[in-house]
Amino acid sequence: MKVRNPRTGEYDYDLMEDATELIAEKAEETRAAQKAWRNLTIGERVAVLQKWLGSFTEFQTEIAEQLAIDTARKRIAAVETGGIIGLMQAWSYRAPQLYNPPAERPSASATTVQIRQQWVPYSLVGVISPWNFPLLLALIDTIPALLAGCGVLLKPSEVTPRFMDGLEKSIAAVPELAAVLKLVRGGAEAGKAVVNSVDAICFTGSVPTGKKIGAVCAERFIPAFLELGGKDPAIVLKDADMEVTTDAILRSCVGATGQACQSLERIYVAETIHDQFVNEITAKAETVTMTINPEEGQMGPLIFQAQAEKIQEQIDDALSKGAKLYTGGKVEDINGGLWCRPTVLTNVTHDMKVMTEETFGPVIPIMAFKTEEEALHLANDSIYGLSASVFSKNNDKAIEIASQLEVGAVSINDGSLTNKVYDAEKNSFKESGINGSRMGDAGFLRFFRKKAILIQTALPEKMADFEESSF
Ligand code: NAD
């Protein structure tokens, strides 16, 4: 597969796609190696993870450089690699505390029976990840799955595959780990082969792909942990601090060029402060600089060409239906890269794609509301339910509004806090996902099935005990 460079538009990297047979072989090998891996103590698995932390650190610069080409972002690439080290450390500390099958105990319902509870990890977990934070989203589920004792087949996105070269070296340096963690290269076909060869799936990606994978997993009767798209709303109440709110919303909408699942994508502002809000956020949006010279600037090009087309289509759709453009509005080709300046739109409605479909770009559509009920109705009028924000100087009021939002996480007086906070459990609501939380303790505990060993300590019942005439 030829891979496009998001900064130059050139197809300058060849990705060798794994054949289906090779993926099946990798699955079989990993499954075989997992038998010994799951029999290690949690402490022994942590020791292997610590070795990986060492080799990952050794290759960190190389991985960050490859990731920077994949995503055309230097600073975020460095944050991503640093974040992985943080994740490895955090799970090394937390997983042994959490691995705590209860001690043997007598049953309360059958008092002669002793219960021994075992936690059995899935043998082989498939992790399939997207292109927007290629390294982080490849490893966020992989690390706790490995510590739980699972083997992992990991297939990152074919759009941003360069970092896999460095990552693979860091894995190969730890043979005990390499036996139970295998990378798979390729696109949808490789992803399908992964889904068909594992015992559980952790998928991060779009709703349409998530639905396809969910259907296959249902057919195969294996769990699918799906982390999908979003259309996160922000509600700005009339008492919100204008300075703080416009700063946070701008950053959340256009940070990482809007290519984050938890980017704010719909802004509902109290009517009385709407005009001031629009003017202030537009002024700030116009100061955002682009990294056309990769050594400076705040916002990079769009990574995925198909997404760039969608962004333009949504802006055009809104403008054709009466939206008003304050700034931005065009995806431009600059030196082969596709760039979109922060785009502020008003006069938008829920008849426009920009208010109902995931944009995944630096677009800030703003709508005024009269009452809190109206704001809540608009915010909840979505097929998505990933996360949201509420801005107000009154925390109690903000929390009251937050409690009525049909989403898995709400940031108060900030945007996208879920990209920083890893220890708060959250489920995705509606079409944004399904099954156990990847964040918090559940991010580790969800990889175990509970098994009961039931030990009879008295004489078992006999058929004679069921004699009707002796009743
Ligand atoms: P995508 O669904 O197109 O692809 C994701 C992955 O699935 C890729 O690795 C791809 O090769 C693979 N794939 C494609 N078809 C497949 C199939 N039929 N079977 C198995 N695998 C298949 O998503 P994308 O465009 O790479 O990523 C962007 C999306 O990811 C956005 O919708 C974004 O919101 C979402 N996302 C969600 C979260 C979250 O935590 N909820 C985080 C980041 C991104």
Side-chain angles (χ1 to χ4, degrees):
M1 298 173 108
K2 289 274 177 208
V3 182
R4 183 179 169 275
N5 181 319
R7 185 167 283 285
T8 63
E10 283 168 24
Y11 288 80
D12 61 1
Y13 180 88
D14 291 319
L15 174 68
M16 293 296 292
E17 185 159 25
D18 288 356
T20 308
E21 300 72 41
L22 178 61
I23 297 167
E25 243 170 65
K26 287 184 181 180
E28 209 173 303
E29 279 173 29
T30 315
R31 210 180 266 289
Q34 185 265 347
K35 291 195 171 77
W37 179 246
R38 88 169 168 220
N39 284 334
L40 296 180
T41 64
I42 180 89
E44 288 167 332
R45 285 197 292 272
V46 166
V48 175
L49 186 75
Q50 288 294 316
K51 282 195 205 170
W52 186 21
L53 198 157
S55 66
F56 185 90
T57 309
E58 228 171 275
F59 290 101
Q60 189 177 0
T61 308
E62 180 176 338
I63 297 169
E65 281 169 6
Q66 291 161 347
L67 199 56
I69 304 174
D70 275 326
T71 56
R73 313 182 289 223
K74 266 192 341 188
R75 193 188 173 101
I76 296 177
V79 171
E80 258 190 86
T81 51
I84 295 306
I85 289 173
L87 272 181
M88 287 177 174
Q89 282 166 334
W91 280 122
S92 293
Y93 173 76
R94 188 69 183 138
Q97 294 176 338
L98 292 172
Y99 184 76
N100 188 22
E104 191 173 309
R105 68 189 193 281
S107 162
S109 57
T111 49
T112 64
V113 175
Q114 285 291 114
I115 299 173
R116 194 174 292 181
Q117 206 80 72
Q118 293 181 339
W119 292 6
V120 184
Y122 292 102
S123 303
L124 187 57
V125 171
V127 174
I128 300 178
S129 51
W131 50 261
N132 58 328
F133 291 92
L135 176 72
L136 173 70
L137 294 169
L139 297 186
I140 191 169
D141 300 325
T142 297
I143 293 167
L146 286 167
L147 281 182
C150 308
V152 175
L153 271 193
L154 164 60
K155 195 210 80 65
S157 170
E158 69 279 22
V159 178
T160 48
R162 296 166 181 84
F163 79 96
M164 276 195 266
D165 296 340
L167 180 66
E168 199 159 48
K169 287 187 200 167
S170 77
I171 297 168
V174 187
E176 311 93 295
L177 177 77
V180 288
L181 170 58
K182 301 230 181 320
L183 293 188
V184 170
R185 289 179 163 80
E189 289 312 308
K192 285 182 202 166
V194 169
V195 177
N196 279 319
S197 55
V198 296
D199 308 309
I201 276 286
C202 293
F203 171 77
T204 310
S206 64
V207 170
T209 310
K211 283 187 176 175
K212 282 186 208 158
I213 290 178
V216 177
C217 289
E219 190 67 39
R220 291 202 57 230
F221 237 68
I222 63 169
F225 300 103
L226 304 179
E227 301 280 351
L228 311 179
K231 185 80 197 163
D232 282 9
I235 295 181
V236 182
L237 299 178
K238 59 177 185 281
D239 71 339
D241 182 310
M242 190 59 73
E243 187 69 19
V244 168
T245 306
T246 46
D247 276 342
I249 290 183
L250 177 66
R251 192 212 70 242
S252 175
C253 288
V254 315
T257 325
Q259 302 164 118
C261 56
Q262 80 291 341
S263 297
L264 287 173
E265 295 208 353
R266 302 178 280 149
I267 317 299
Y268 303 102
V269 183
E271 194 180 43
T272 48
I273 57 164
H274 172 269
D275 293 354
Q276 188 194 355
F277 179 88
V278 171
N279 290 336
E280 294 202 14
I281 204 160
T282 301
K284 287 183 181 174
E286 285 173 344
T287 68
V288 173
T289 50
M290 304 214 289
T291 63
I292 292 167
N293 167 359
E295 299 308 318
E296 57 188 44
Q298 300 159 0
M299 205 179 81
L302 298 162
I303 295 172
F304 189 32
Q305 191 168 11
Q307 197 65 39
E309 287 159 16
K310 250 189 223 170
I311 294 167
Q312 189 66 67
E313 184 196 315
Q314 288 192 12
I315 296 171
D316 293 346
D317 170 73
L319 293 176
S320 75
K321 291 175 179 161
K324 185 170 169 203
L325 179 68
Y326 276 71
T327 186
K330 271 259 159 294
V331 174
E332 302 165 78
D333 182 329
I334 304 175
N335 307 328
L338 297 169
W339 301 78
C340 182
R341 290 184 193 279
T343 294
V344 176
L345 292 167
T346 62
N347 284 12
V348 288
T349 68
H350 281 207
D351 295 325
M352 300 172 184
K353 290 179 185 170
V354 79
M355 293 303 278
T356 54
E357 295 179 9
E358 190 177 42
T359 307
F360 233 54
V363 181
I364 313 168
I366 304 165
M367 229 173 137
F369 66 82
K370 281 191 173 60
T371 62
E372 283 159 15
E373 291 67 35
E374 187 191 1
L376 274 166
H377 170 77
L378 288 166
N380 285 333
D381 178 26
S382 173
I383 59 164
Y384 295 102
L386 193 64
S387 35
S389 284
V390 181
F391 291 85
S392 166
K393 283 193 193 121
N394 179 343
N395 262 357
D396 291 341
K397 176 51 120 186
I399 292 166
E400 183 197 320
I401 299 281
S403 307
Q404 298 172 74
L405 287 167
E406 294 160 5
V407 299
V410 186
S411 303
I412 307 288
N413 290 323
D414 204 344
S416 315
L417 283 175
T418 50
N419 71 5
K420 285 198 173 73
V421 177
Y422 284 63
D423 49 352
E425 291 190 3
K426 66 173 192 83
N427 295 116
S428 298
F429 287 23
K430 302 184 187 169
E431 295 195 10
S432 287
I434 195 162
N435 277 329
S437 170
R438 79 157 28 141
M439 301 298 204
D441 296 347
F444 172 71
L445 296 171
R446 65 184 179 158
F447 292 112
F448 294 103
R449 290 156 297 177
K450 304 285 166 61
K451 181 167 167 178
I453 308 283
L454 306 173
I455 308 154
Q456 178 59 278
T457 62
L459 289 176
E461 282 177 330
K462 299 180 194 153
M463 275 316 290
D465 299 331
F466 293 88
E467 176 55 48
E468 294 281 7
S469 63
S470 66
F471 181 64

